[in-house]
Amino acid sequence: MLMREMPHEMLDPKIKNVWRINDAIWIVVCFLACFVPFVIVASSEDGSWAMVVMAVIAALFAVFAIIFLVVLPPIRYARWRYEMSSDFLDIARGIIWRKRFVIPFIRVQNTDTRQGPIMRAFGLSSVTVATAAGEHEIPGISTAQAEQLRDRAAELARIAREDI
């Protein structure tokens, strides 16, 4: 059995910065949620043990910051691929657990574009393709390209349904 060739289209490189900003926000929120209670304990009692916990939390914060902001975005970017043919949308993603989705247009119920404030600042959007089995998203392509991809996928889905 021959394996299908990997999709060729890549995301916009600016998506790496979007991922970094999103991950930085989550890391800082989690850090503060874990760190601040021990600051309060350390300031109110004999908090020598709390100082040790705070040091461990700060070290973990630094490790997670390096992993999620420096190491993972280029790898994640390199592993994300998609391609649209006249019959299906092919999506491949994942670093450790690789996932591959081949979505036949005959099954597509809805196509949509999404854009949060961070993606909007970088001029990027996501395309979402919905089937009865769930949604599949292609994040981080230029807004113009996302709109073209969305419209083309909707048109191919309409044509596939008419051919039945």
Side-chain angles (χ1 to χ4, degrees):
M1 181 175 188
L2 294 173
M3 290 289 293
R4 176 175 288 159
E5 197 174 313
M6 288 299 287
H8 299 305
E9 297 290 326
M10 295 182 72
L11 305 177
D12 190 301
K14 293 184 279 188
I15 191 64
K16 293 183 281 189
N17 291 326
V18 171
W19 289 333
R20 284 182 180 112
I21 292 169
N22 284 332
D23 290 347
I25 291 168
W26 281 108
I27 291 169
V28 167
V29 167
C30 290
F31 169 74
L32 292 174
C34 294
F35 194 78
V36 169
F38 291 103
V39 169
I40 295 168
V41 169
S43 66
S44 66
E45 308 175 357
D46 176 31
S48 59
W49 65 272
M51 296 298 279
V52 173
V53 174
M54 289 168 44
V56 169
I57 292 171
L60 286 173
F61 171 76
V63 168
F64 282 121
I66 290 169
I67 290 171
F68 283 92
L69 305 181
V70 177
V71 176
L72 289 181
I75 298 170
R76 189 174 171 192
Y77 173 77
R79 298 289 186 134
W80 239 108
R81 297 275 191 279
Y82 70 94
E83 191 169 337
M84 187 166 49
S85 74
S86 60
D87 297 322
F88 57 85
L89 177 62
D90 190 357
I91 299 173
R93 64 181 175 89
I95 296 174
I96 296 172
W97 287 275
R98 301 280 292 149
K99 292 186 179 184
R100 183 91 181 259
F101 303 98
V102 178
I103 304 140
F105 285 117
I106 190 86
R107 301 285 183 210
V108 172
Q109 296 176 343
N110 186 37
T111 60
D112 196 11
T113 53
R114 295 181 184 167
Q115 187 183 55
I118 298 170
M119 288 184 75
R120 188 171 25 260
F122 285 90
L124 301 176
S125 293
S126 294
V127 175
T128 303
V129 176
T131 67
E135 287 188 351
H136 302 279
E137 182 179 36
I138 302 171
I141 53 180
S142 72
T143 300
Q145 185 181 3
E147 290 173 357
Q148 289 174 350
L149 187 66
R150 176 203 60 208
D151 294 345
R152 179 74 178 136
E155 178 66 19
L156 290 171
R158 184 189 61 76
I159 291 169
R161 283 191 299 275
E162 286 178 353
D163 288 344
I164 298 179

